[in-house]
Amino acid sequence: MPKVEVENVYKIFGPSPKQIIPLLEQGEDKTKILKKYKHTVGVNRTSFTVEEGEVFVIMGLSGSGKSTLIRCINRLIEPTSGRILIDGQDITALSSAQLREIRRKKIAMVFQNFALLPHKTVLDNVAFGLEIQRTNIEERRRKAKEMLEIVGLNGYDAAKPSELSGGMQQRVGLARALATEADILLMDEAFSALDPLIRKDMQNELLSLQQKMHKTIIFITHDLDEALKLGDRIAIMKDGNIVQIGIAEEILQNPADDYVREFTQDVNRARIITASAIMRDAESIVLEKSGVLIAARKMKELGISSLFVTKKSGELLGIVTIENVSSMIRQRKEDLETIIDKNIETVGLDASIDEIIPLFLNTKYPVAVLDEDNKLKGIIFKSTILAGIAGEGGNNDATHC
Amino acid sequence: MQPIARLPLGEYIEIGVKWMTNNLAGFFTGIREGLANLVGILGDLLYLIPVPLFIIIVAALSWWVSGKNLAIFSVIGLYLIYNLQLWDKTVLTLSMVTTATLIALVVGLPSGILMSKSNTADKIIRPILDFMQTMPAFVYLIPAVYFFDLGTPPGVVATIIFAMPPIVRLTNLGIRQVPEDVVEATKSFGATPSQLLFKVQIPLAIPTIMAGLNQTIMLSLSMVVISAMIGADGLGKVVYEGIGQMNVGKGFEGGLAVVIVAMLLDRITQCIGAVQKKSGKVFIQQLRDKHSQNKSI
């Protein structure tokens, strides 16, 4: 069962929002709805699911409805229509007392501008969620101390939030959210107010915390790099709609529309795109079945100057070049095995382009892509890399070399 | 010649006031007695404190909330009042101000909170506050006399009406000014509306509410003096007698005492809000000291 399910959620702002839904269903334009009916569409029929332990990033420009959407999940904003299930329980149907219970135990939130309580000490800020639950003071302070240690702020117990830097304040915000032991974290542009270096630190810290804690995190950001770094899956929002959901690579490789493509233009693709996405189909010959003549013919057919050789099982043995093959033919020797060059570079399926590029310095051959069992899965040429960075997919046309 | 008949608004008001005087006499007498008692008790309590001790207490308080200068000023000012033989009147004025302020607080704080929570309440209460503040103070001295007779109680009632708006307005403002994301964060942790109010909104609104309290106290003082016109006792009476007898010296002495009391009340209440900040600064200083100690070790 998914941890969080959002089903056909609408949020429309205005005096009679429910009447706008049928118009939206008929495909009425949002700007027209704003002009003619004076209603603002915040979230327009949105559905997604988040699995337990997943980091789900919702990305979009300001005004795309992402902050509204995340607030629907704990009903800080009431959705106009639709269902939101948390552990299978529809929270849109809850009474306010039941909702408070969910907010206390299951969902915690981290805010863009930290939203700390300026009149309380750091320790009492972290303990605030527990204070709301009426936990006794020793217990909640003990817990808060523990959390401060986790986020690396021990010793600041008695300080006031205003005495801390932005990064430290957000650590307090994070500790406060962790202290209630809720298993869902909603993070609304949690790192957007921090400067770039601190931001990177916080991202890394969140990732390492996540490895230990396995929370279900819904993270809002307008920064694609952040989304790619943190997100197990990413949803891209535009004008209240989710236009694409997928893992980082899918979004970079197959942007659903021009909006997403524009978003992904500035990304350092080399860091994200993996060997499996750009590799060409593996052209190879099987040692047991082939001799030099078959190798020569295949290379001629494909117009290439080298060819990988595998065992019958698919395991990679090495590469033969056209020069060696022709000299064998001239010497009338048959045995392919003697000319296999084992000195080749190989990478795993999930190696990034950044990791692959340096390999070409050491070899004149293409790089072989292997799976966990050393079976040949594909080939990467220098030209494939350029195409990958430029954003073309690994379509298997035979334009080798 | 007027195109339409003049609306006899004044007559209606008079009829209304007369009706209330005749039919609600018991109610008004009750309030009158209650206020007279409250002012009396507070006055007696203040009288109980010997003058030197009173001066020392005020000076110590001034020192704590503000500093040496205010403490020195309070000693000189209060001694001058004592020397001019205006101590009794000053104590009476203070007890009237305190009574009016307390009642204004008891009514004003909840009204301000209500206004901040409900836009409808805001829309209803706001014009009432405008009315209370801008209607010339002398105008409601008259019905006050109708209802409560001459003396101190009608003075206190008029004072309460005149002095209450700031505390209501600034309570409302203070709560509405609490940053939206802090309110959201509090709700997101499952706070009940009363937890939100008492743990977050009111504590954060305190500086603004204190500014309102300061205004209320200052307005109380000014109105208490004016209400000498309807027989209220205190420093106002001294000033009013000075005017009546064309006695410039007496009027000035009374006026000076009012100014001294006003300045003391103003500075002390203004600084009470800042005391918290001061302790915060002290705390940072301690932190720094500790840090430098650690370094030297």
Side-chain angles (χ1 to χ4, degrees):
Chain A
M1 185 173 60
K3 193 77 185 166
V4 180
E5 270 174 281
V6 173
E7 273 177 18
N8 300 329
V9 164
Y10 286 93
K11 177 66 200 180
I12 294 145
F13 298 96
S16 45
K18 293 241 186 235
Q19 290 167 17
I20 302 300
I21 292 174
L23 296 173
L24 281 170
E25 274 166 354
Q26 288 159 26
E28 196 77 79
D29 187 43
K30 275 176 228 77
T31 42
K32 197 175 161 196
I33 286 174
L34 180 62
K35 276 203 181 129
K36 200 169 158 193
Y37 304 98
K38 310 283 180 227
H39 280 70
T40 311
V41 180
V43 175
N44 182 11
R45 196 189 174 93
T46 293
S47 301
F48 61 86
T49 60
V50 184
E51 297 299 327
E52 174 125 40
E54 188 180 23
V55 181
F56 186 81
V57 176
I58 301 172
M59 193 191 64
L61 298 176
S62 53
S64 61
K66 55 193 192 308
S67 285
T68 307
L69 179 57
I70 201 173
R71 279 167 175 70
C72 287
I73 294 171
N74 61 358
R75 277 176 62 192
L76 280 177
I77 292 178
E78 289 289 343
T80 307
S81 144
R83 299 205 310 159
I84 292 162
L85 300 145
I86 288 171
D87 289 328
Q89 185 184 25
D90 183 3
I91 67 144
T92 55
L94 297 182
S95 70
S96 53
Q98 289 168 314
L99 177 65
R100 280 201 290 274
E101 208 45 39
I102 294 274
R103 286 175 177 174
R104 287 177 183 190
K105 304 282 186 201
K106 282 201 172 160
I107 310 178
M109 194 160 176
V110 181
F111 292 82
Q112 175 169 14
N113 293 314
F114 324 132
L116 301 177
L117 304 166
H119 62 297
K120 285 180 183 283
T121 63
V122 165
L123 190 69
D124 286 339
N125 261 288
V126 176
F128 186 65
L130 300 169
E131 184 184 344
I132 293 293
Q133 298 178 25
R134 304 198 168 85
T135 314
N136 69 52
I137 191 153
E138 290 88 25
E139 170 65 15
R140 69 182 192 236
R141 290 212 163 135
R142 189 189 59 71
K143 187 86 204 163
K145 269 208 165 97
E146 222 172 87
M147 291 304 142
L148 276 178
E149 201 156 315
I150 286 178
V151 299
L153 278 183
N154 23 356
Y156 288 91
D157 302 13
K160 286 277 168 71
S162 57
E163 295 159 19
L164 304 184
S165 69
M168 288 157 96
Q169 288 189 39
Q170 194 57 300
R171 281 166 199 265
V172 177
L174 190 57
R176 176 175 68 177
L178 294 174
T180 61
E181 291 183 334
D183 24 79
I184 301 169
L185 279 187
L186 304 179
M187 304 186 72
D188 180 23
E189 302 244 14
F191 304 148
S192 301
L194 305 176
D195 56 56
L197 281 178
I198 306 283
R199 191 168 177 178
K200 226 171 195 172
D201 276 356
M202 291 295 286
Q203 290 165 355
N204 291 334
E205 194 144 336
L206 181 68
L207 285 175
S208 73
L209 279 175
Q210 172 63 358
Q211 281 193 337
K212 284 178 237 156
M213 305 202 153
H214 309 293
K215 303 270 180 191
T216 304
I217 300 177
I218 299 178
F219 193 105
I220 298 278
T221 181
H222 59 253
D223 175 7
L224 185 64
D225 278 324
E226 188 165 76
L228 296 171
K229 182 165 180 184
L230 298 176
D232 292 324
R233 280 188 308 142
I234 298 167
I236 295 186
M237 268 193 103
K238 180 197 177 189
D239 295 343
N241 296 303
I242 288 187
V243 290
Q244 190 171 12
I245 298 183
I247 61 169
E249 234 180 289
E250 282 166 12
I251 284 170
L252 291 182
Q253 286 293 300
N254 303 304
D257 60 13
D258 288 343
Y259 176 78
V260 183
R261 201 187 315 277
E262 210 165 302
F263 240 128
T264 57
Q265 250 167 13
D266 302 330
V267 171
N268 183 359
R269 290 162 174 280
R271 225 173 46 214
I272 311 291
I273 295 178
T274 60
S276 61
I278 54 165
M279 67 189 186
R280 312 288 180 178
D281 272 355
E283 293 295 348
S284 62
I285 49 171
V286 177
L287 180 68
E288 289 92 338
K289 291 196 289 192
S290 332
V292 284
L293 288 174
I294 291 180
R297 188 157 69 204
K298 191 141 192 186
M299 281 190 257
K300 208 166 164 189
E301 242 171 51
L302 296 171
I304 52 179
S305 59
S306 55
L307 195 59
F308 285 106
V309 183
T310 64
K311 285 188 193 165
K312 214 172 172 180
S313 63
E315 196 182 318
L316 181 68
L317 288 169
I319 199 165
V320 292
T321 61
I322 191 80
E323 293 87 15
N324 292 344
V325 170
S326 358
S327 76
M328 286 288 274
I329 294 172
R330 259 180 268 120
Q331 294 165 34
R332 296 184 189 279
K333 286 185 185 161
E334 282 282 305
D335 193 2
L336 201 56
E337 202 168 354
T338 54
I339 56 162
I340 292 176
D341 189 347
K342 292 206 159 80
N343 188 20
I344 50 173
E345 297 290 343
T346 63
V347 293
L349 283 166
D350 53 0
S352 69
I353 293 182
D354 260 359
E355 297 167 87
I356 301 168
I357 290 172
L359 301 180
F360 281 100
L361 299 173
N362 309 330
T363 178
K364 53 186 189 292
Y365 305 128
V367 170
V369 183
L370 306 179
D371 66 6
E372 304 85 55
D373 305 324
N374 281 329
K375 286 183 186 165
L376 183 65
K377 286 290 166 192
I379 308 172
I380 295 172
F381 299 92
K382 281 182 192 160
S383 60
T384 338
I385 295 244
L386 291 177
I389 293 174
E392 290 166 25
N395 30 15
N396 301 307
D397 51 358
T399 50
H400 295 165
C401 297
Chain B
M1 203 186 104
Q2 263 182 301
I4 48 167
R6 180 185 180 279
L7 188 66
L9 190 58
E11 279 88 340
Y12 291 157
I13 298 289
E14 264 182 54
I15 291 167
V17 167
K18 267 200 186 124
W19 183 87
M20 284 162 80
T21 338
N22 293 334
N23 293 282
L24 302 174
F27 173 70
F28 290 127
T29 313
I31 292 182
R32 182 187 160 79
E33 295 302 317
L35 285 176
N37 283 336
L38 203 55
V39 174
I41 291 168
L42 270 170
D44 290 346
L45 278 178
L46 291 176
Y47 276 129
L48 272 181
I49 307 171
V51 176
L53 183 62
F54 195 102
I55 294 180
I56 290 171
I57 291 173
V58 173
L61 184 68
S62 306
W63 197 309
W64 179 54
V65 300
S66 169
K68 201 165 58 180
N69 291 343
L70 188 61
I72 292 170
F73 173 77
S74 69
V75 171
I76 295 173
L78 290 177
Y79 183 75
L80 183 66
I81 290 174
Y82 178 64
N83 182 269
L84 294 173
Q85 292 174 337
L86 290 172
W87 191 261
D88 291 2
K89 298 286 179 197
T90 304
V91 166
L92 204 60
T93 295
L94 270 181
S95 62
M96 284 171 73
V97 168
T98 314
T99 307
T101 305
L102 279 180
I103 294 171
L105 263 183
V106 167
V107 181
L109 267 181
S111 311
I113 292 168
L114 183 68
M115 269 175 97
S116 74
K117 294 279 166 188
S118 144
N119 285 331
T120 319
D122 186 283
K123 269 185 203 142
I124 296 168
I125 296 176
R126 202 173 279 273
I128 299 176
L129 294 179
D130 293 338
F131 187 91
M132 286 160 73
Q133 257 185 319
T134 51
M135 189 57 134
F138 305 103
V139 175
Y140 41 73
L141 286 178
I142 309 165
V145 173
Y146 266 110
F147 297 145
F148 303 107
D149 222 340
L150 287 171
T152 300
V156 174
V157 170
T159 305
I160 293 168
I161 295 171
F162 185 66
M164 195 160 37
I167 190 78
V168 181
R169 279 187 209 277
L170 286 163
T171 301
N172 177 27
L173 179 71
I175 291 176
R176 283 179 186 261
Q177 268 179 344
V178 172
E180 179 59 26
D181 62 343
V182 174
V183 174
E184 270 191 330
T186 309
K187 285 185 190 162
S188 80
F189 286 103
T192 60
S194 68
Q195 282 177 326
L196 174 65
L197 182 65
F198 291 110
K199 286 183 190 292
V200 175
Q201 288 177 315
I202 289 183
L204 290 185
I206 284 289
T208 315
I209 295 176
M210 287 304 292
L213 178 64
N214 172 270
Q215 289 292 304
T216 290
I217 291 174
M218 299 312 284
L219 288 181
S220 294
L221 185 62
S222 71
M223 193 60 189
V224 159
V225 172
I226 291 174
S227 63
M229 290 169 68
I230 52 169
D233 209 342
L235 288 174
K237 199 174 172 189
V238 179
V239 178
Y240 195 58
E241 281 170 4
I243 297 170
Q245 299 159 4
M246 297 294 277
N247 185 341
V248 181
K250 193 177 182 184
F252 183 81
E253 285 176 3
L256 188 65
V258 171
V259 171
I260 291 169
V261 172
M263 286 174 74
L264 280 176
L265 281 175
D266 178 57
R267 300 301 184 276
I268 292 174
T269 52
Q270 229 173 43
C271 293
I272 282 176
V275 166
Q276 275 178 317
K277 265 187 214 159
K278 204 160 105 185
S279 61
K281 270 183 202 158
V282 171
F283 171 73
I284 297 174
Q285 193 54 47
Q286 282 168 346
L287 257 193
R288 273 190 199 139
D289 291 348
K290 246 187 219 169
H291 188 69
S292 55
Q293 267 175 15
N294 288 346
K295 258 186 187 168
S296 62
I297 291 165

